[in-house]
Amino acid sequence: MKSLFALLLAGSLATASLSAQAQQASDRLRAEAMEDTRLLANRIALDDARSVRVRQLTYDRLVQESQITTMYGDDPAMRQNKLRVVEEEYTAKLKDLLTSVQFDRYQALVAAGTAPAARHTATALKASSASPK
């Protein structure tokens, strides 16, 4: 009976620990999305309504990138392909959301390598191409 209780206690603690780690990661990604959106808003003149939607898109993108990095940590080619797809989807969603002037400004930032959200993918892509095969 004591061993069953110890096993249940250990399982509960492990679950609580994993839950806390997931919450911390989520909070970190939300803060990162907020900061990226703030920077982007200043650079491409986002209004408040669009900023909220861009922040959600950015958060979703960061979550996807995090999951891909975790799932394909041992397969750099697959990770790179998946990250490119996420980047393309994000860009397509932004194109639908932003005005043409804002989107042109965003594309200029991406081309210059200074778009806030694009930095994450660029870093991940560099890391995967630098990994030994």
Side-chain angles (χ1 to χ4, degrees):
M1 189 62 146
K2 287 183 179 179
S3 62
L4 177 61
F5 178 73
L7 184 62
L8 289 174
L9 181 63
S12 299
L13 292 175
T15 302
S17 175
L18 289 174
S19 178
Q21 288 174 348
Q23 182 63 41
Q24 287 174 344
S26 178
D27 290 347
R28 181 183 55 79
L29 293 177
R30 285 194 192 286
E32 204 170 327
M34 188 173 293
E35 178 63 14
D36 286 351
T37 303
R38 186 188 63 77
L39 292 171
L40 191 60
N42 290 334
R43 293 179 181 167
I44 68 170
L46 282 178
D47 54 78
D48 290 342
R50 283 191 176 91
S51 288
V52 170
R53 293 171 61 196
V54 168
R55 183 175 59 235
Q56 185 60 48
L57 288 177
T58 302
Y59 173 74
D60 293 344
R61 177 186 180 167
L62 293 172
V63 168
Q64 288 176 323
E65 289 175 349
S66 177
Q67 291 170 343
I68 288 168
T69 300
T70 300
M71 289 174 59
Y72 300 101
D74 59 344
D75 189 350
M78 181 63 82
R79 182 175 61 238
Q80 192 171 24
N81 289 336
K82 297 283 187 181
L83 289 172
R84 278 201 181 100
V85 169
V86 169
E87 181 179 4
E88 290 167 3
E89 289 173 354
Y90 177 77
T91 301
K93 289 175 184 176
L94 279 181
K95 186 174 185 176
D96 290 341
L97 175 63
L98 302 176
T99 66
S100 59
V101 171
Q102 290 170 331
F103 186 70
D104 290 344
R105 289 176 184 161
Y106 173 75
Q107 285 186 311
L109 291 172
V110 170
T114 58
R119 291 176 298 156
H120 306 290
T121 302
T123 301
L125 290 173
K126 285 179 189 172
S128 66
S129 63
S131 298
K133 303 223 176 195

